[in-house]
PDB file of all heavy atoms in Angstrom:
ATOM      1  N   VAL A   1       5.010  76.050  34.545  1.00 98.00           N
ATOM      2  CA  VAL A   1       5.335  75.446  35.825  1.00 98.00           C
ATOM      3  C   VAL A   1       5.114  76.517  36.884  1.00 98.00           C
ATOM      4  O   VAL A   1       5.712  77.597  36.803  1.00 98.00           O
ATOM      5  CB  VAL A   1       6.786  74.946  35.872  1.00 98.00           C
ATOM      6  CG1 VAL A   1       7.091  74.324  37.236  1.00 98.00           C
ATOM      7  CG2 VAL A   1       7.035  73.944  34.751  1.00 98.00           C
ATOM      8  N   VAL A   2       4.273  76.230  37.850  1.00 97.00           N
ATOM      9  CA  VAL A   2       3.912  77.223  38.854  1.00 97.00           C
ATOM     10  C   VAL A   2       4.139  76.656  40.245  1.00 97.00           C
ATOM     11  O   VAL A   2       3.626  75.587  40.578  1.00 97.00           O
ATOM     12  CB  VAL A   2       2.438  77.651  38.699  1.00 97.00           C
ATOM     13  CG1 VAL A   2       2.082  78.683  39.772  1.00 97.00           C
ATOM     14  CG2 VAL A   2       2.196  78.217  37.306  1.00 97.00           C
ATOM     15  N   GLU A   3       4.932  77.387  41.034  1.00 97.00           N
ATOM     16  CA  GLU A   3       5.157  77.003  42.422  1.00 97.00           C
ATOM     17  C   GLU A   3       4.272  77.839  43.335  1.00 97.00           C
ATOM     18  O   GLU A   3       3.909  78.970  43.003  1.00 97.00           O
ATOM     19  CB  GLU A   3       6.614  77.228  42.839  1.00 97.00           C
ATOM     20  CG  GLU A   3       7.657  76.533  42.016  1.00 97.00           C
ATOM     21  CD  GLU A   3       8.286  77.485  41.022  1.00 97.00           C
ATOM     22  OE1 GLU A   3       7.637  78.487  40.683  1.00 97.00           O
ATOM     23  OE2 GLU A   3       9.429  77.232  40.584  1.00 97.00           O
ATOM     24  N   SER A   4       3.983  77.286  44.497  1.00 96.00           N
ATOM     25  CA  SER A   4       3.252  78.027  45.516  1.00 96.00           C
ATOM     26  C   SER A   4       3.630  77.487  46.880  1.00 96.00           C
ATOM     27  O   SER A   4       4.226  76.410  46.985  1.00 96.00           O
ATOM     28  CB  SER A   4       1.738  77.902  45.297  1.00 96.00           C
ATOM     29  OG  SER A   4       1.333  76.552  45.362  1.00 96.00           O
ATOM     30  N   GLY A   5       3.311  78.262  47.916  1.00 97.00           N
ATOM     31  CA  GLY A   5       3.489  77.777  49.267  1.00 97.00           C
ATOM     32  C   GLY A   5       4.643  78.378  50.042  1.00 97.00           C
ATOM     33  O   GLY A   5       4.851  78.037  51.202  1.00 97.00           O
ATOM     34  N   GLY A   6       5.411  79.242  49.419  1.00 94.00           N
ATOM     35  CA  GLY A   6       6.501  79.859  50.148  1.00 94.00           C
ATOM     36  C   GLY A   6       5.997  80.845  51.188  1.00 94.00           C
ATOM     37  O   GLY A   6       4.808  81.123  51.286  1.00 94.00           O
ATOM     38  N   GLY A   7       6.926  81.362  51.978  1.00 97.00           N
ATOM     39  CA  GLY A   7       6.545  82.345  52.986  1.00 97.00           C
ATOM     40  C   GLY A   7       7.604  82.497  54.049  1.00 97.00           C
ATOM     41  O   GLY A   7       8.737  82.057  53.884  1.00 97.00           O
ATOM     42  N   LEU A   8       7.199  83.124  55.137  1.00 98.00           N
ATOM     43  CA  LEU A   8       8.079  83.376  56.276  1.00 98.00           C
ATOM     44  C   LEU A   8       7.716  82.431  57.405  1.00 98.00           C
ATOM     45  O   LEU A   8       6.532  82.303  57.757  1.00 98.00           O
ATOM     46  CB  LEU A   8       7.928  84.829  56.722  1.00 98.00           C
ATOM     47  CG  LEU A   8       8.658  85.247  58.002  1.00 98.00           C
ATOM     48  CD1 LEU A   8      10.161  85.148  57.808  1.00 98.00           C
ATOM     49  CD2 LEU A   8       8.244  86.667  58.403  1.00 98.00           C
ATOM     50  N   VAL A   9       8.712  81.787  57.974  1.00 98.00           N
ATOM     51  CA  VAL A   9       8.476  80.836  59.052  1.00 98.00           C
ATOM     52  C   VAL A   9       9.623  80.929  60.050  1.00 98.00           C
ATOM     53  O   VAL A   9      10.752  81.280  59.672  1.00 98.00           O
ATOM     54  CB  VAL A   9       8.337  79.405  58.489  1.00 98.00           C
ATOM     55  CG1 VAL A   9       9.630  78.941  57.852  1.00 98.00           C
ATOM     56  CG2 VAL A   9       7.858  78.427  59.542  1.00 98.00           C
ATOM     57  N   GLN A  10       9.346  80.624  61.297  1.00 98.00           N
ATOM     58  CA  GLN A  10      10.398  80.613  62.308  1.00 98.00           C
ATOM     59  C   GLN A  10      11.214  79.332  62.204  1.00 98.00           C
ATOM     60  O   GLN A  10      10.725  78.296  61.732  1.00 98.00           O
ATOM     61  CB  GLN A  10       9.781  80.715  63.702  1.00 98.00           C
ATOM     62  CG  GLN A  10       9.218  82.086  64.027  1.00 98.00           C
ATOM     63  CD  GLN A  10       8.795  82.205  65.474  1.00 98.00           C
ATOM     64  OE1 GLN A  10       8.454  81.215  66.107  1.00 98.00           O
ATOM     65  NE2 GLN A  10       8.812  83.420  65.993  1.00 98.00           N
ATOM     66  N   ALA A  11      12.434  79.422  62.646  1.00 98.00           N
ATOM     67  CA  ALA A  11      13.295  78.247  62.668  1.00 98.00           C
ATOM     68  C   ALA A  11      12.621  77.121  63.444  1.00 98.00           C
ATOM     69  O   ALA A  11      12.023  77.356  64.497  1.00 98.00           O
ATOM     70  CB  ALA A  11      14.643  78.593  63.293  1.00 98.00           C
ATOM     71  N   GLY A  12      12.724  75.919  62.891  1.00 98.00           N
ATOM     72  CA  GLY A  12      12.061  74.769  63.484  1.00 98.00           C
ATOM     73  C   GLY A  12      10.686  74.510  62.928  1.00 98.00           C
ATOM     74  O   GLY A  12      10.102  73.438  63.170  1.00 98.00           O
ATOM     75  N   GLY A  13      10.162  75.447  62.182  1.00 98.00           N
ATOM     76  CA  GLY A  13       8.830  75.321  61.623  1.00 98.00           C
ATOM     77  C   GLY A  13       8.793  74.531  60.330  1.00 98.00           C
ATOM     78  O   GLY A  13       9.818  73.967  59.896  1.00 98.00           O
ATOM     79  N   SER A  14       7.621  74.503  59.719  1.00 98.00           N
ATOM     80  CA  SER A  14       7.402  73.726  58.510  1.00 98.00           C
ATOM     81  C   SER A  14       6.714  74.558  57.435  1.00 98.00           C
ATOM     82  O   SER A  14       5.958  75.489  57.739  1.00 98.00           O
ATOM     83  CB  SER A  14       6.525  72.506  58.815  1.00 98.00           C
ATOM     84  OG  SER A  14       7.128  71.642  59.744  1.00 98.00           O
ATOM     85  N   LEU A  15       6.994  74.196  56.200  1.00 98.00           N
ATOM     86  CA  LEU A  15       6.300  74.751  55.045  1.00 98.00           C
ATOM     87  C   LEU A  15       6.129  73.640  54.029  1.00 98.00           C
ATOM     88  O   LEU A  15       6.939  72.707  53.970  1.00 98.00           O
ATOM     89  CB  LEU A  15       7.086  75.891  54.395  1.00 98.00           C
ATOM     90  CG  LEU A  15       7.024  77.274  55.027  1.00 98.00           C
ATOM     91  CD1 LEU A  15       7.972  78.222  54.282  1.00 98.00           C
ATOM     92  CD2 LEU A  15       5.616  77.833  55.017  1.00 98.00           C
ATOM     93  N   ARG A  16       5.096  73.771  53.210  1.00 98.00           N
ATOM     94  CA  ARG A  16       4.880  72.813  52.128  1.00 98.00           C
ATOM     95  C   ARG A  16       4.795  73.590  50.826  1.00 98.00           C
ATOM     96  O   ARG A  16       3.925  74.444  50.666  1.00 98.00           O
ATOM     97  CB  ARG A  16       3.599  72.023  52.354  1.00 98.00           C
ATOM     98  CG  ARG A  16       3.402  70.865  51.381  1.00 98.00           C
ATOM     99  CD  ARG A  16       2.163  70.068  51.734  1.00 98.00           C
ATOM    100  NE  ARG A  16       2.006  68.862  50.936  1.00 98.00           N
ATOM    101  CZ  ARG A  16       2.518  67.681  51.274  1.00 98.00           C
ATOM    102  NH1 ARG A  16       3.201  67.548  52.403  1.00 98.00           N
ATOM    103  NH2 ARG A  16       2.334  66.623  50.503  1.00 98.00           N
ATOM    104  N   LEU A  17       5.715  73.302  49.924  1.00 98.00           N
ATOM    105  CA  LEU A  17       5.714  73.914  48.611  1.00 98.00           C
ATOM    106  C   LEU A  17       5.000  72.991  47.625  1.00 98.00           C
ATOM    107  O   LEU A  17       5.101  71.765  47.727  1.00 98.00           O
ATOM    108  CB  LEU A  17       7.133  74.158  48.124  1.00 98.00           C
ATOM    109  CG  LEU A  17       8.039  74.977  49.041  1.00 98.00           C
ATOM    110  CD1 LEU A  17       9.402  75.187  48.381  1.00 98.00           C
ATOM    111  CD2 LEU A  17       7.408  76.307  49.402  1.00 98.00           C
ATOM    112  N   SER A  18       4.309  73.605  46.683  1.00 98.00           N
ATOM    113  CA  SER A  18       3.616  72.833  45.651  1.00 98.00           C
ATOM    114  C   SER A  18       4.061  73.294  44.276  1.00 98.00           C
ATOM    115  O   SER A  18       4.438  74.451  44.085  1.00 98.00           O
ATOM    116  CB  SER A  18       2.106  72.996  45.792  1.00 98.00           C
ATOM    117  OG  SER A  18       1.649  72.435  47.007  1.00 98.00           O
ATOM    118  N   CYS A  19       3.994  72.368  43.342  1.00 98.00           N
ATOM    119  CA  CYS A  19       4.382  72.637  41.957  1.00 98.00           C
ATOM    120  C   CYS A  19       3.328  72.032  41.043  1.00 98.00           C
ATOM    121  O   CYS A  19       2.917  70.882  41.236  1.00 98.00           O
ATOM    122  CB  CYS A  19       5.739  72.018  41.676  1.00 98.00           C
ATOM    123  SG  CYS A  19       6.280  72.133  39.958  1.00 98.00           S
ATOM    124  N   ALA A  20       2.900  72.805  40.062  1.00 98.00           N
ATOM    125  CA  ALA A  20       1.922  72.317  39.097  1.00 98.00           C
ATOM    126  C   ALA A  20       2.436  72.603  37.697  1.00 98.00           C
ATOM    127  O   ALA A  20       2.784  73.747  37.390  1.00 98.00           O
ATOM    128  CB  ALA A  20       0.570  72.984  39.315  1.00 98.00           C
ATOM    129  N   ALA A  21       2.473  71.574  36.876  1.00 97.00           N
ATOM    130  CA  ALA A  21       2.936  71.705  35.498  1.00 97.00           C
ATOM    131  C   ALA A  21       1.775  71.468  34.543  1.00 97.00           C
ATOM    132  O   ALA A  21       0.955  70.564  34.758  1.00 97.00           O
ATOM    133  CB  ALA A  21       4.060  70.719  35.220  1.00 97.00           C
ATOM    134  N   SER A  22       1.731  72.276  33.502  1.00 96.00           N
ATOM    135  CA  SER A  22       0.681  72.110  32.504  1.00 96.00           C
ATOM    136  C   SER A  22       1.220  72.452  31.127  1.00 96.00           C
ATOM    137  O   SER A  22       2.199  73.195  31.005  1.00 96.00           O
ATOM    138  CB  SER A  22      -0.513  73.011  32.835  1.00 96.00           C
ATOM    139  OG  SER A  22      -0.128  74.367  32.853  1.00 96.00           O
ATOM    140  N   GLY A  23       0.593  71.901  30.106  1.00 95.00           N
ATOM    141  CA  GLY A  23       1.015  72.203  28.745  1.00 95.00           C
ATOM    142  C   GLY A  23       1.069  70.976  27.860  1.00 95.00           C
ATOM    143  O   GLY A  23       0.569  69.918  28.221  1.00 95.00           O
ATOM    144  N   SER A  24       1.718  71.144  26.720  1.00 93.00           N
ATOM    145  CA  SER A  24       1.704  70.104  25.681  1.00 93.00           C
ATOM    146  C   SER A  24       2.859  69.128  25.834  1.00 93.00           C
ATOM    147  O   SER A  24       3.693  68.986  24.946  1.00 93.00           O
ATOM    148  CB  SER A  24       1.740  70.766  24.303  1.00 93.00           C
ATOM    149  OG  SER A  24       0.636  71.608  24.126  1.00 93.00           O
ATOM    150  N   PHE A  25       2.919  68.469  26.935  1.00 92.00           N
ATOM    151  CA  PHE A  25       3.888  67.398  27.124  1.00 92.00           C
ATOM    152  C   PHE A  25       3.130  66.115  27.417  1.00 92.00           C
ATOM    153  O   PHE A  25       1.976  66.148  27.846  1.00 92.00           O
ATOM    154  CB  PHE A  25       4.873  67.724  28.246  1.00 92.00           C
ATOM    155  CG  PHE A  25       4.228  68.015  29.573  1.00 92.00           C
ATOM    156  CD1 PHE A  25       3.914  66.996  30.455  1.00 92.00           C
ATOM    157  CD2 PHE A  25       3.942  69.325  29.950  1.00 92.00           C
ATOM    158  CE1 PHE A  25       3.313  67.263  31.666  1.00 92.00           C
ATOM    159  CE2 PHE A  25       3.350  69.601  31.167  1.00 92.00           C
ATOM    160  CZ  PHE A  25       3.026  68.571  32.022  1.00 92.00           C
ATOM    161  N   PHE A  26       3.807  64.990  27.179  1.00 90.00           N
ATOM    162  CA  PHE A  26       3.167  63.701  27.400  1.00 90.00           C
ATOM    163  C   PHE A  26       3.451  63.162  28.784  1.00 90.00           C
ATOM    164  O   PHE A  26       2.585  62.548  29.411  1.00 90.00           O
ATOM    165  CB  PHE A  26       3.645  62.702  26.335  1.00 90.00           C
ATOM    166  CG  PHE A  26       3.076  61.330  26.489  1.00 90.00           C
ATOM    167  CD1 PHE A  26       1.758  61.076  26.181  1.00 90.00           C
ATOM    168  CD2 PHE A  26       3.862  60.283  26.956  1.00 90.00           C
ATOM    169  CE1 PHE A  26       1.221  59.805  26.332  1.00 90.00           C
ATOM    170  CE2 PHE A  26       3.334  59.011  27.110  1.00 90.00           C
ATOM    171  CZ  PHE A  26       2.016  58.772  26.794  1.00 90.00           C
ATOM    172  N   SER A  27       4.663  63.398  29.267  1.00 92.00           N
ATOM    173  CA  SER A  27       5.033  62.824  30.555  1.00 92.00           C
ATOM    174  C   SER A  27       6.115  63.661  31.224  1.00 92.00           C
ATOM    175  O   SER A  27       6.853  64.393  30.557  1.00 92.00           O
ATOM    176  CB  SER A  27       5.533  61.387  30.381  1.00 92.00           C
ATOM    177  OG  SER A  27       6.697  61.372  29.582  1.00 92.00           O
ATOM    178  N   ILE A  28       6.179  63.550  32.533  1.00 94.00           N
ATOM    179  CA  ILE A  28       7.247  64.169  33.326  1.00 94.00           C
ATOM    180  C   ILE A  28       8.142  63.053  33.826  1.00 94.00           C
ATOM    181  O   ILE A  28       7.713  62.192  34.591  1.00 94.00           O
ATOM    182  CB  ILE A  28       6.681  64.971  34.505  1.00 94.00           C
ATOM    183  CG1 ILE A  28       5.829  66.130  33.987  1.00 94.00           C
ATOM    184  CG2 ILE A  28       7.816  65.498  35.375  1.00 94.00           C
ATOM    185  CD1 ILE A  28       5.138  66.919  35.091  1.00 94.00           C
ATOM    186  N   ASN A  29       9.373  63.058  33.380  1.00 96.00           N
ATOM    187  CA  ASN A  29      10.306  62.016  33.793  1.00 96.00           C
ATOM    188  C   ASN A  29      10.765  62.213  35.231  1.00 96.00           C
ATOM    189  O   ASN A  29      10.742  61.299  36.040  1.00 96.00           O
ATOM    190  CB  ASN A  29      11.509  61.991  32.856  1.00 96.00           C
ATOM    191  CG  ASN A  29      11.094  61.752  31.423  1.00 96.00           C
ATOM    192  OD1 ASN A  29      10.277  60.900  31.125  1.00 96.00           O
ATOM    193  ND2 ASN A  29      11.661  62.535  30.517  1.00 96.00           N
ATOM    194  N   ALA A  30      11.159  63.421  35.537  1.00 97.00           N
ATOM    195  CA  ALA A  30      11.612  63.733  36.884  1.00 97.00           C
ATOM    196  C   ALA A  30      11.106  65.111  37.271  1.00 97.00           C
ATOM    197  O   ALA A  30      10.981  66.005  36.433  1.00 97.00           O
ATOM    198  CB  ALA A  30      13.128  63.705  36.976  1.00 97.00           C
ATOM    199  N   MET A  31      10.787  65.238  38.523  1.00 98.00           N
ATOM    200  CA  MET A  31      10.414  66.534  39.079  1.00 98.00           C
ATOM    201  C   MET A  31      11.461  66.886  40.123  1.00 98.00           C
ATOM    202  O   MET A  31      11.800  66.049  40.976  1.00 98.00           O
ATOM    203  CB  MET A  31       9.027  66.481  39.692  1.00 98.00           C
ATOM    204  CG  MET A  31       8.527  67.800  40.224  1.00 98.00           C
ATOM    205  SD  MET A  31       6.798  67.711  40.747  1.00 98.00           S
ATOM    206  CE  MET A  31       5.956  67.732  39.157  1.00 98.00           C
ATOM    207  N   ASN A  32      12.006  68.083  40.022  1.00 98.00           N
ATOM    208  CA  ASN A  32      13.111  68.490  40.869  1.00 98.00           C
ATOM    209  C   ASN A  32      12.785  69.794  41.585  1.00 98.00           C
ATOM    210  O   ASN A  32      12.110  70.661  41.021  1.00 98.00           O
ATOM    211  CB  ASN A  32      14.366  68.727  40.016  1.00 98.00           C
ATOM    212  CG  ASN A  32      14.645  67.586  39.072  1.00 98.00           C
ATOM    213  OD1 ASN A  32      14.954  66.481  39.487  1.00 98.00           O
ATOM    214  ND2 ASN A  32      14.525  67.849  37.772  1.00 98.00           N
ATOM    215  N   TRP A  33      13.312  69.922  42.775  1.00 98.00           N
ATOM    216  CA  TRP A  33      13.270  71.195  43.489  1.00 98.00           C
ATOM    217  C   TRP A  33      14.696  71.691  43.653  1.00 98.00           C
ATOM    218  O   TRP A  33      15.566  70.940  44.107  1.00 98.00           O
ATOM    219  CB  TRP A  33      12.619  71.036  44.851  1.00 98.00           C
ATOM    220  CG  TRP A  33      11.144  70.882  44.788  1.00 98.00           C
ATOM    221  CD1 TRP A  33      10.431  69.710  44.779  1.00 98.00           C
ATOM    222  CD2 TRP A  33      10.169  71.931  44.736  1.00 98.00           C
ATOM    223  NE1 TRP A  33       9.085  69.968  44.712  1.00 98.00           N
ATOM    224  CE2 TRP A  33       8.900  71.332  44.686  1.00 98.00           C
ATOM    225  CE3 TRP A  33      10.246  73.325  44.709  1.00 98.00           C
ATOM    226  CZ2 TRP A  33       7.721  72.060  44.627  1.00 98.00           C
ATOM    227  CZ3 TRP A  33       9.076  74.057  44.652  1.00 98.00           C
ATOM    228  CH2 TRP A  33       7.826  73.431  44.613  1.00 98.00           C
ATOM    229  N   TYR A  34      14.906  72.921  43.250  1.00 98.00           N
ATOM    230  CA  TYR A  34      16.177  73.607  43.423  1.00 98.00           C
ATOM    231  C   TYR A  34      15.949  74.801  44.352  1.00 98.00           C
ATOM    232  O   TYR A  34      14.816  75.248  44.560  1.00 98.00           O
ATOM    233  CB  TYR A  34      16.699  74.133  42.083  1.00 98.00           C
ATOM    234  CG  TYR A  34      17.243  73.106  41.141  1.00 98.00           C
ATOM    235  CD1 TYR A  34      16.394  72.282  40.401  1.00 98.00           C
ATOM    236  CD2 TYR A  34      18.615  72.967  40.946  1.00 98.00           C
ATOM    237  CE1 TYR A  34      16.891  71.349  39.512  1.00 98.00           C
ATOM    238  CE2 TYR A  34      19.131  72.038  40.049  1.00 98.00           C
ATOM    239  CZ  TYR A  34      18.266  71.240  39.334  1.00 98.00           C
ATOM    240  OH  TYR A  34      18.769  70.313  38.457  1.00 98.00           O
ATOM    241  N   ARG A  35      17.038  75.321  44.862  1.00 98.00           N
ATOM    242  CA  ARG A  35      16.950  76.566  45.613  1.00 98.00           C
ATOM    243  C   ARG A  35      18.179  77.410  45.331  1.00 98.00           C
ATOM    244  O   ARG A  35      19.241  76.897  45.004  1.00 98.00           O
ATOM    245  CB  ARG A  35      16.798  76.315  47.103  1.00 98.00           C
ATOM    246  CG  ARG A  35      18.015  75.710  47.779  1.00 98.00           C
ATOM    247  CD  ARG A  35      17.693  75.393  49.240  1.00 98.00           C
ATOM    248  NE  ARG A  35      18.837  74.819  49.942  1.00 98.00           N
ATOM    249  CZ  ARG A  35      18.786  74.328  51.171  1.00 98.00           C
ATOM    250  NH1 ARG A  35      17.626  74.336  51.846  1.00 98.00           N
ATOM    251  NH2 ARG A  35      19.859  73.834  51.737  1.00 98.00           N
ATOM    252  N   GLN A  36      17.979  78.706  45.475  1.00 98.00           N
ATOM    253  CA  GLN A  36      19.083  79.646  45.288  1.00 98.00           C
ATOM    254  C   GLN A  36      19.021  80.703  46.374  1.00 98.00           C
ATOM    255  O   GLN A  36      18.077  81.504  46.415  1.00 98.00           O
ATOM    256  CB  GLN A  36      19.028  80.288  43.900  1.00 98.00           C
ATOM    257  CG  GLN A  36      20.235  81.140  43.590  1.00 98.00           C
ATOM    258  CD  GLN A  36      20.327  81.498  42.120  1.00 98.00           C
ATOM    259  OE1 GLN A  36      19.350  81.426  41.378  1.00 98.00           O
ATOM    260  NE2 GLN A  36      21.518  81.879  41.677  1.00 98.00           N
ATOM    261  N   ALA A  37      20.005  80.676  47.225  1.00 98.00           N
ATOM    262  CA  ALA A  37      20.115  81.690  48.271  1.00 98.00           C
ATOM    263  C   ALA A  37      20.813  82.913  47.695  1.00 98.00           C
ATOM    264  O   ALA A  37      21.547  82.820  46.703  1.00 98.00           O
ATOM    265  CB  ALA A  37      20.890  81.136  49.453  1.00 98.00           C
ATOM    266  N   SER A  38      20.611  84.038  48.321  1.00 97.00           N
ATOM    267  CA  SER A  38      21.183  85.282  47.841  1.00 97.00           C
ATOM    268  C   SER A  38      22.701  85.176  47.770  1.00 97.00           C
ATOM    269  O   SER A  38      23.352  84.790  48.749  1.00 97.00           O
ATOM    270  CB  SER A  38      20.783  86.425  48.776  1.00 97.00           C
ATOM    271  OG  SER A  38      21.329  87.646  48.341  1.00 97.00           O
ATOM    272  N   GLY A  39      23.253  85.473  46.615  1.00 97.00           N
ATOM    273  CA  GLY A  39      24.691  85.458  46.435  1.00 97.00           C
ATOM    274  C   GLY A  39      25.291  84.088  46.220  1.00 97.00           C
ATOM    275  O   GLY A  39      26.518  83.953  46.152  1.00 97.00           O
ATOM    276  N   LYS A  40      24.454  83.071  46.115  1.00 97.00           N
ATOM    277  CA  LYS A  40      24.954  81.701  45.947  1.00 97.00           C
ATOM    278  C   LYS A  40      24.416  81.091  44.662  1.00 97.00           C
ATOM    279  O   LYS A  40      23.466  81.581  44.066  1.00 97.00           O
ATOM    280  CB  LYS A  40      24.560  80.850  47.146  1.00 97.00           C
ATOM    281  CG  LYS A  40      25.199  81.291  48.457  1.00 97.00           C
ATOM    282  CD  LYS A  40      24.918  80.300  49.567  1.00 97.00           C
ATOM    283  CE  LYS A  40      25.614  80.698  50.851  1.00 97.00           C
ATOM    284  NZ  LYS A  40      25.372  79.718  51.945  1.00 97.00           N
ATOM    285  N   GLN A  41      25.045  79.996  44.255  1.00 98.00           N
ATOM    286  CA  GLN A  41      24.592  79.282  43.071  1.00 98.00           C
ATOM    287  C   GLN A  41      23.332  78.471  43.369  1.00 98.00           C
ATOM    288  O   GLN A  41      23.088  78.077  44.516  1.00 98.00           O
ATOM    289  CB  GLN A  41      25.700  78.342  42.574  1.00 98.00           C
ATOM    290  CG  GLN A  41      26.889  79.052  41.961  1.00 98.00           C
ATOM    291  CD  GLN A  41      27.868  78.091  41.306  1.00 98.00           C
ATOM    292  OE1 GLN A  41      28.015  76.958  41.742  1.00 98.00           O
ATOM    293  NE2 GLN A  41      28.521  78.533  40.250  1.00 98.00           N
ATOM    294  N   ARG A  42      22.564  78.245  42.332  1.00 98.00           N
ATOM    295  CA  ARG A  42      21.382  77.409  42.474  1.00 98.00           C
ATOM    296  C   ARG A  42      21.821  75.971  42.764  1.00 98.00           C
ATOM    297  O   ARG A  42      22.756  75.457  42.133  1.00 98.00           O
ATOM    298  CB  ARG A  42      20.542  77.454  41.194  1.00 98.00           C
ATOM    299  CG  ARG A  42      19.163  76.856  41.319  1.00 98.00           C
ATOM    300  CD  ARG A  42      18.323  77.141  40.083  1.00 98.00           C
ATOM    301  NE  ARG A  42      18.083  78.582  39.916  1.00 98.00           N
ATOM    302  CZ  ARG A  42      17.233  79.076  39.007  1.00 98.00           C
ATOM    303  NH1 ARG A  42      16.542  78.257  38.228  1.00 98.00           N
ATOM    304  NH2 ARG A  42      17.083  80.375  38.903  1.00 98.00           N
TER     305      ARG A  42
END
């Protein structure tokens, strides 16, 4: 699973993150995005 698209942006701006999954699976039931800020839980 590989993410891309992060970076530095000013408040009010936009970013688009992408995720690509590959391997020996048949299907993806759900795709989720999580985040973890410094010192906080995911």
Side-chain angles (χ1 to χ4, degrees):
V1 180
V2 180
E3 303 100 337
S4 60
L8 174 65
V9 65
Q10 288 188 333
S14 299
L15 280 175
R16 188 176 187 89
L17 305 183
S18 295
C19 174
S22 60
S24 300
F25 57 86
F26 178 73
S27 62
I28 297 176
N29 302 315
M31 183 173 284
N32 311 294
W33 285 95
Y34 286 77
R35 68 185 181 187
Q36 187 167 19
S38 180
K40 295 188 177 181
Q41 289 188 329
R42 192 171 296 189

